[in-house]
Amino acid sequence: MPRLTLRTLLAYIDDTLEPEQARSLGQKVAESEEARQLIERIKVITRRRRLTSPVATGPEDDISDPNTVAEYLSDSLEGPHVRELEEICLKSDVHLAEVAACHQILTLVLTEPVRVPPTANQRMYKLVEAPASDPNRRPGKARPIAGLIPPIPHRAETDDPDAALLLGMKPYKSADAGSSRATMFGVAAGLLAMLALAVLMALPHSQPERPETSLPGSVALAEIPKSTDPPIVAPEPRPIGTTPEPGKPPTKTTEDPKVDPLNPKEDPKVEPGPGLGDPVKQPMPGREVIGRLETDKVLVVTRGPEAGATWIRADVGDPGILASDSVMALPGYKAEVRLDTGVTVYLWGNVPQQVPVEVLQSRVVFHPPAAGFDADMTLEAGRVYLTTIRPGGVKVRVRIATETWDLSIPANAEVMAQAVTAFVPGSLYSRNEGELPRTRAKLAVLRGTSNLAVPGRFKKFDALPAWTEITWDSKTGVLSDPKAVPKGDPTISRIVLQVDERGRAIQKALADTTARLAQNDGIRVLLEGRMNALDLPLTTNPTPFQLEVAEYAVQFAIYAYAAIADSTDAVQIVSNLCDQMANTERPFARRAAIAATSGWIGQERANTSVLCNVLTTKKQLPEDEADLIAHLLRGYSSAATGDVVSVDKLVELLNHDLIIVREAALGNLLAFFDPSAFPIPSLGGLNVGLRQRGEEQNYANLLKPWKEHADVIKKKMQNMK
């Protein structure tokens, strides 16, 4: 297994390690705060503008010499020099940037095939005289670049296939030599004339002597009264390319160090911002570029605020993330968004197979930050991690439902924010009215310390230490006091990669889905195809690993499909999810659809009506059965209610005629009454699809363990009173 060194870290960043090595090193990175900070530093300095190059001033083995860097990257540098070079890189941004950038360039060059145009091949051979070379030697059978063929002799200049390699420059022609020289001399003469004029204007000039007597009508200098007005101050120079509107200050450009995230050493003077008792203002409007996606090969989608906008995939190469747009990491995907102010927002999408928590998609809206803030964002669903490497830290406003949290995050500290919205199990059911879904929010400091101000509550918490959390829920409206949580708590930690066999299958299923997206606006088509088919080898029997990957791909597509079910075609998406919930052949898909639709129905109160309308109009179910399904998906009841009668009712529903009802009833028993029963094959492993196949007697025997376990659950509930 590779050691955690600078060279192996660069290989990990540029994805040149073997899968097994990458998993092992990824685990070490996740456990090392220094490694994570170094990765953040490398990402920043390799993009920093105006960063100089190291100068070789010592002997040949000086660490600034390009040959030394080349030997280091090729693993041929001697041990003492390796240690010296790595120590200098850790101290110097200039040297670290050179080594990291060279490694990245070499990764790209050495992994891409190089093809030589035919004419270039011939010219190279003509550089060496015969018999050492044969100018007429034909190139190999490899197809030339873009399928070009050697030019016809009389059109050699105009059809030279090397023209594509000139990057837009005009090719040299002998006929143009004279005119090119004349043009060059003319440009040189013009530059010399301009230089002479500039020198002449810079020379000091003698001022005309003042006459000894004043001119008629003039005032003597001694008679002019001294002005009491303040001296006139020349306006600050405006950046090139900006034209301020009348009455408005000039627009700041990206050259302003206050908004330069690539040079964190230039720490801006942050305005104090609103006071603790000041009213919380609505988010500022705007659609300017506010940051960029930094993670490749993930499914992150964006959607504008206008009515009818659809979800479109965001790419690393896009112009940027726009303010006021919804940005969502689909379930299972994790991505980093770097805001232009130096705030890093890590979108943490999740599926139950990764971490058994309620978080699925991670969805935010970034707003233009008001004075005193470096970021303003609304966390609509899921989880984000906030951090920065700016020496002066950042101030971030996080909006969740009706709450507003103002965070002061120092450099290299890390804070998690989470929001989950769902109906309270056992709450009064109504298709159109009733209770609103409950939003539960959580804030946890994972690294360093952080200050939290809650202006709407006149509360302030200074220097919250690591592994401290604060919770809030919209039902009670209570904001908890800070409390300590176990260090490394997996339910709130930023888990990046699972290194076991299951984790490898999960990562492959997610990566395969991303690779199949042909067009960025084809998210829905991609997910529909993935959730309706198993990608298995056709010629051989699938291995257990291949079968696991295929099933995960179906489940993850269903979770992601429910995440986009808030668009103009929501009715059709929900209808397709109902088909998955009624699937009699694939229990893994059926259960994923039940969980995904349960998550979707709790996002908005109106979703209950949408589901019932789909069930009654498109699926032709009676009104009472549609309401029963919706009630089960919202959460029929829970152990916390103390309603023991509901336990018997849910066990009874395990034998209902509709497979959706049976699966949803089983989900209620496992999620809200006894989660410990899930790994028990006779309880959590019950296949409710067997009844649909005409195996009523066999299925009745399978229900006996649940009927017995119902008494155990009710006894526990009675003891809780």
Side-chain angles (χ1 to χ4, degrees):
M1 294 295 102
R3 295 188 303 111
L4 189 57
T5 64
L6 176 60
R7 188 190 293 112
T8 57
L9 199 61
L10 292 173
Y12 176 76
I13 295 174
D14 294 333
D15 196 19
T16 60
L17 295 173
E18 295 295 329
E20 188 66 30
Q21 295 178 329
R23 286 193 295 272
S24 174
L25 198 64
Q27 181 67 24
K28 295 179 180 179
V29 169
E31 297 171 353
S32 172
E33 181 178 347
E34 291 78 12
R36 294 196 301 271
Q37 292 180 4
L38 183 57
I39 290 177
E40 292 285 339
R41 180 182 166 200
I42 290 173
K43 290 180 179 179
V44 170
I45 63 175
T46 51
R47 293 170 172 82
R48 185 184 300 172
R49 294 171 291 182
R50 301 182 297 275
L51 190 66
T52 60
S53 301
V55 180
T57 57
E60 292 183 357
D61 62 346
D62 188 276
I63 58 99
S64 297
D65 186 84
N67 293 321
T68 305
V69 176
E71 291 177 3
Y72 173 76
L73 294 177
S74 61
D75 201 12
S76 59
L77 191 64
E78 297 181 0
H81 298 305
V82 170
R83 182 175 303 173
E84 181 184 4
L85 185 143
E86 291 183 341
E87 290 178 352
I88 294 297
C89 287
L90 295 178
K91 297 177 181 178
S92 168
D93 284 353
V94 172
H95 292 84
L96 180 60
E98 182 193 36
V99 172
C102 289
H103 189 281
Q104 186 177 18
I105 293 171
L106 287 173
T107 300
L108 295 175
V109 171
L110 296 179
T111 54
E112 293 292 334
V114 179
R115 295 182 178 180
V116 181
T119 53
N121 185 81
Q122 294 172 4
R123 285 200 302 272
M124 294 303 102
Y125 275 95
K126 289 180 181 179
L127 293 177
V128 181
E129 297 181 357
S133 69
D134 180 13
N136 297 321
R137 179 183 180 274
R138 300 183 63 182
K141 296 182 180 180
R143 184 176 178 83
I145 293 179
L148 297 173
I149 59 175
I152 302 173
H154 70 277
R155 300 173 60 190
E157 287 187 338
T158 58
D159 290 347
D160 187 356
D162 292 349
L165 306 180
L166 294 176
L167 302 179
M169 296 184 295
K170 184 179 179 181
Y172 173 80
K173 297 181 180 181
S174 57
D176 296 337
S179 60
S180 298
R181 293 192 185 95
T183 302
M184 182 174 61
F185 283 123
V187 173
L191 292 175
L192 288 174
M194 293 173 63
L195 179 62
L197 180 61
V199 173
L200 181 62
M201 294 178 65
L203 292 175
H205 300 281
S206 60
Q207 300 292 335
E209 295 182 359
R210 182 173 58 86
E212 295 181 3
T213 58
S214 300
L215 296 174
S218 64
V219 181
L221 293 177
E223 298 176 5
I224 300 177
K226 293 184 179 180
S227 174
T228 58
D229 296 331
I232 299 176
V233 180
E236 295 182 0
R238 187 171 68 249
I240 296 175
T242 61
T243 304
E245 299 179 12
K248 291 186 178 181
T251 303
K252 295 180 181 180
T253 66
T254 55
E255 295 299 321
D256 190 336
K258 292 184 180 180
V259 294
D260 185 2
L262 303 181
N263 196 351
K265 291 186 178 180
E266 299 177 3
D267 188 32
K269 295 181 179 179
V270 180
E271 298 183 39
L276 190 61
D278 294 345
V280 178
K281 297 181 179 180
Q282 293 295 320
M284 295 179 62
R287 291 297 305 281
E288 65 268 22
V289 173
I290 204 167
R292 283 162 180 79
L293 180 66
E294 297 286 336
T295 308
D296 199 5
K297 299 178 181 178
V298 294
L299 283 185
V300 174
V301 294
T302 64
R303 186 178 66 184
E306 62 275 7
T310 58
W311 291 106
I312 298 176
R313 183 190 177 187
D315 274 334
V316 172
D318 289 345
I321 301 294
L322 296 179
S324 303
D325 281 6
S326 292
V327 183
M328 178 168 61
L330 292 179
Y333 293 96
K334 296 163 178 61
E336 180 181 297
V337 174
R338 185 77 54 82
L339 302 185
D340 292 341
T341 53
V343 181
T344 297
V345 182
Y346 189 80
L347 305 177
W348 194 82
N350 178 62
V351 288
Q353 290 81 358
Q354 289 177 319
V355 182
V357 295
E358 295 176 275
V359 176
L360 290 173
Q361 64 270 19
S362 175
R363 176 170 163 174
V364 300
V365 176
F366 296 107
H367 312 289
F373 290 93
D374 300 290
D376 187 348
M377 56 181 289
T378 297
L379 178 58
E380 296 182 329
R383 179 186 296 184
V384 295
Y385 294 86
L386 307 171
T387 186
T388 184
I389 59 173
R390 266 181 36 183
V394 293
K395 190 171 182 179
V396 181
R397 168 161 282 182
V398 180
R399 305 171 189 263
I400 301 177
T402 59
E403 289 293 290
T404 300
W405 296 342
D406 295 340
L407 290 161
S408 296
I409 306 175
N412 298 316
E414 186 175 42
V415 178
M416 182 216 65
Q418 176 178 301
V420 176
T421 302
F423 284 102
V424 178
S427 59
L428 183 63
Y429 172 80
S430 173
R431 183 182 294 193
N432 299 305
E433 302 295 335
E435 294 185 12
L436 290 170
R438 177 182 62 178
T439 297
R440 288 175 295 158
K442 180 184 296 185
L443 184 141
V445 180
L446 304 183
R447 192 169 68 240
T449 61
S450 179
N451 297 338
L452 170 64
V454 189
R457 297 175 177 272
F458 300 94
K459 285 189 176 183
K460 188 176 182 180
F461 305 95
D462 292 327
L464 291 172
W467 302 107
T468 300
E469 76 172 16
I470 293 175
T471 60
W472 170 85
D473 79 84
S474 60
K475 186 174 178 64
T476 63
V478 175
L479 181 71
S480 73
D481 292 328
K483 66 175 183 179
V485 294
K487 184 177 181 180
D489 186 348
T491 63
I492 61 175
S493 297
R494 188 170 82 168
I495 298 176
V496 179
L497 183 67
Q498 294 174 264
V499 297
D500 56 5
E501 191 75 3
R502 184 184 187 185
R504 193 163 67 92
I506 292 172
Q507 295 302 320
K508 181 168 177 53
L510 293 170
D512 288 349
T513 301
T514 305
R516 290 173 181 268
L517 182 62
Q519 296 179 338
N520 286 350
D521 59 352
I523 294 293
R524 178 183 164 184
V525 176
L526 169 72
L527 297 177
E528 287 177 353
R530 294 288 280 173
M531 71 182 189
N532 287 312
L534 280 179
D535 295 322
L536 295 172
L538 300 178
T539 57
T540 59
N541 293 327
T543 65
F545 178 78
Q546 291 172 329
L547 184 60
E548 188 176 23
V549 171
E551 292 182 355
Y552 280 158
V554 171
Q555 292 175 303
F556 299 166
I558 292 173
Y559 288 126
Y561 196 59
I564 64 171
D566 61 348
S567 53
T568 55
D569 50 0
V571 171
Q572 186 57 48
I573 292 177
V574 173
S575 177
N576 293 337
L577 287 172
C578 290
D579 293 338
Q580 295 296 330
M581 289 189 287
N583 190 298
T584 60
E585 301 298 328
R586 303 190 302 175
F588 58 89
R590 187 171 61 245
R591 287 193 171 188
I594 291 288
T597 310
S598 295
W600 166 81
I601 200 173
Q603 296 300 308
E604 298 285 347
R605 181 165 61 181
N607 289 349
T608 301
S609 178
V610 173
L611 175 65
C612 289
N613 290 336
V614 169
L615 292 173
T616 55
T617 59
K618 288 184 171 292
K619 307 306 175 185
Q620 302 298 311
L621 292 180
E623 296 284 346
D624 59 336
E625 290 187 347
D627 283 324
L628 175 60
I629 293 173
H631 194 178
L632 288 168
L633 293 177
R634 286 171 43 147
Y636 190 83
S637 187
S638 69
T641 64
D643 182 13
V644 294
V645 177
S646 61
V647 179
D648 294 327
K649 178 62 176 178
L650 288 171
V651 173
E652 179 186 343
L653 291 176
L654 292 177
N655 201 27
H656 195 275
D657 290 340
L658 293 178
I659 192 172
I660 299 181
V661 173
R662 297 197 299 274
E663 195 70 72
L666 178 62
N668 273 260
L669 288 167
L670 294 173
F672 305 130
F673 287 92
D674 191 4
S676 64
F678 183 81
I680 302 175
S682 61
L683 299 175
L686 176 66
N687 184 0
V688 299
L690 293 178
R691 186 183 185 280
Q692 210 77 9
R693 301 174 187 174
E695 302 181 20
E696 286 80 0
Q697 186 58 45
N698 185 28
Y699 184 73
N701 294 332
L702 295 176
L703 289 181
K704 290 181 180 179
W706 261 115
K707 293 178 179 179
E708 296 171 357
H709 193 67
D711 295 332
V712 177
I713 295 176
K714 290 186 290 184
K715 187 175 181 180
K716 289 181 180 179
M717 293 172 60
Q718 291 170 347
N719 293 335
M720 291 171 57
K721 293 181 179 181

